[in-house]
Amino acid sequence: MQWGRIAVFASGQGSNFAALIQAQQAGKLGGGSIELLVSDKPEAPVAQRAEDAGIPALLLRPKDFGSRELYEAAIVAELQRRDIGLVVLAGYMRLITPVLLEPYAGRIINIHPSLLPAFAGKDAIGQALDYGVKLTGVTVHFVDGGMDTGPVIAQRSVEVISGDTAESLAERIHKVEYGLYPEVVAAMAAGRVELNGRITTVSSL
Ligand code: GRF
């Protein structure tokens, strides 16, 4: 498996997917190349982005399969056929099962719009606003079987400003995501991320 052959998984807008494509085009993805989009929502805007960029897409509806495991087995077969070595979740709204986790152990990463372990799960930005924190941010982490529980690779903070709405805060958080995620994907693609237990080390990020 080659680290630099990347599949991006997304369910929605795909603005992080777009940022990763731009980074690749600018030669800033550590030699990595995005070989495939996987989406569980064939009608999502991210599918159109893949088409526009000429990136192959695997668009499968989980409900067309007998179980979550069969759905993921179909994905794994395609990943292996394309020799994918790195799975990048970018707004992929499903938990991953052992069917994908086992063959891709240590090779699946996710981006989450909070400073984990605060505000895991859905609507992290709304959760942070409701809680009243003054500082939130972005986390990139390895994926395990839990909800946003895997080892942290990188984090960046974003201040909550008085009068922030979910939209205004989301806009600043997304900007940080578009900078941070390509950097981490580049580091992964170049083999610059080490994992020991829960502790990760990124060389020259
Ligand atoms: C991002 O905020 C990401 O942190 C979260 O889902 C959102 C995806 O947005 N996991 P987009 O589809 O990349 O625009």
Side-chain angles (χ1 to χ4, degrees):
M1 264 193 264
Q2 299 179 44
W3 283 104
R5 292 182 62 82
I6 299 166
V8 178
F9 285 35
S11 305
Q13 287 302 320
S15 63
N16 278 282
F17 177 57
L20 290 165
I21 293 171
Q22 272 187 20
Q24 180 181 327
Q25 287 167 348
K28 291 182 175 167
L29 218 51
S33 91
I34 301 169
E35 299 290 330
L36 182 68
L37 168 75
V38 174
S39 183
D40 58 330
K41 296 263 163 49
E43 64 292 338
V46 69
Q48 187 62 47
R49 292 192 199 258
E51 196 176 324
D52 294 347
I55 293 173
L58 181 67
L59 308 174
L60 300 176
R61 285 190 177 81
K63 67 173 165 46
D64 293 342
F65 294 79
S67 66
R68 295 200 303 161
E69 286 74 18
L70 287 170
Y71 161 71
E72 275 189 7
I75 295 174
V76 169
E78 185 65 17
L79 298 181
Q80 289 178 338
R81 196 176 74 77
R82 291 181 183 272
D83 195 25
I84 298 296
L86 176 60
V87 171
V88 173
L89 308 186
Y92 183 65
M93 302 305 284
R94 305 180 63 82
L95 279 177
I96 304 293
T97 80
V99 172
L100 175 58
L101 276 173
E102 276 166 18
Y104 281 91
R107 291 175 176 269
I108 311 177
I109 63 173
N110 182 44
I111 188 161
H112 183 78
S114 75
L115 294 175
L116 290 170
F119 313 126
K122 285 198 177 145
D123 190 23
I125 296 170
Q127 289 186 56
L129 272 179
D130 290 347
Y131 196 91
V133 291
K134 305 298 184 197
L135 199 62
T136 182
V138 175
T139 302
V140 180
H141 63 93
F142 282 106
V143 171
D144 61 14
M147 176 87 86
D148 305 319
T149 49
V152 169
I153 304 170
Q155 293 186 302
R156 227 158 253 177
S157 58
V158 174
E159 275 185 45
V160 180
I161 298 170
S162 150
D164 251 340
T165 60
E167 291 69 35
S168 63
L169 181 55
E171 203 182 312
R172 295 201 309 289
I173 285 181
H174 288 316
K175 277 200 189 125
V176 171
E177 290 184 331
Y178 306 153
L180 183 62
Y181 215 9
E183 278 182 37
V184 175
V185 171
M188 291 288 302
R192 290 192 285 111
V193 181
E194 252 183 68
L195 175 61
N196 286 302
R198 279 202 66 86
I199 306 305
T200 64
T201 313
V202 183
S203 44
S204 59
L205 180 68

